[in-house]
Amino acid sequence: MSLLVSTRPSLSFRLNFNLLRRPTNLPLSSASLTPKPPPLPTPPLHILRRAPYSSPCTPRAASTAATAYSILRDSGAAAAILAGAYALVSAFDFLTRRNLIEQSLSRKLVHILSGLFFMVSWPIFSTTTEARYFACLVPLVNCLRLVIHGLSLASDEGLIKSVTREGKPEELLRGPLYYVLILILCALIFWRESPVGVISLAMMCGGDGIADIIGRRFGFLKIPYNQQKSWAGSISMFIFGFLISIGMLQYYSVLGYLHLDWVQTVQKVALVSLVATVVESLPTTEILRTLASE
């Protein structure tokens, strides 16, 4: 019994073997020898499946993020410059109240440094078109401050002593107000891409401010057609206005905002400095007073 079981193949083995055998009566062909490809496995059905990952940095999302970053950067830059300008005026106010510096010298140093500080800070802002409007917030706040105190709607003795000649509130509505208005116009119209605004502010802040300081100290020899101006003040305005203009142009050229032909640039800046010096030396104040009295 045990021998019979070990020598005879099982029924299942015979069936499987017969299925694999080719019938002898069928013709031999290439089609019959080609095995059929196995069926593709059916993918399992997932009720809860993870969505494919998509990058959040789509063009629209990237543009929105860049806009938000620019607004945040420009707002922070405007706040920092405004705080710096306030600290500058407060520092000279402190020096004036302690009699460590003369009021006239304090006024001119504020005149020089505040404008140059504002102009040097322009590269801090972003490259968007709206950046110049954020920059203008700084002189605009100072403009409103001058109007409020100039109309005596509020009192700030430190501000009046720092930026006026005679310590009168109404003086804030003249020279200091014109000063901040020019800062606003140069930022809006010319900004960083034009040397015209850079030279204009350099001559107004540096050239005119230093001319007043030098003229008060060494202006013994007066100009014949204007006894209120001196040769020392006019010469210093030409020299320092020219040097500060060239320095600011170099500053913006290094940063990539301006591309200049320096031979022509030096010649044109020298001519502009000369014209500005001549105009500044004219007795315009007396002429305006005469016209006003008539």
Side-chain angles (χ1 to χ4, degrees), residues 58 227 283:
T58 58
Q227 294 297 311

Side-chain angles (χ1 to χ4, degrees), residues 141-202:
V141 170
N142 289 325
C143 179
L144 296 176
R145 188 183 177 195
L146 292 174
V147 171
I148 291 173
H149 292 90
L151 296 175
S152 299
L153 301 177
S155 179
D156 190 343
E157 294 297 329
L159 175 66
I160 296 174
K161 290 181 180 180
S162 299
V163 299
T164 61
R165 292 178 182 270
E166 300 176 1
K168 298 179 180 179
E170 56 270 19
E171 291 184 69
L172 298 175
L173 302 178
R174 295 196 288 267
L177 183 60
Y178 303 152
Y179 181 86
V180 295
L181 290 177
I182 293 175
L183 293 180
I184 294 174
L185 290 177
C186 286
L188 285 177
I189 298 174
F190 302 109
W191 196 222
R192 299 173 294 206
E193 290 78 14
S194 174
V196 176
V198 174
I199 297 173
S200 300
L201 292 184

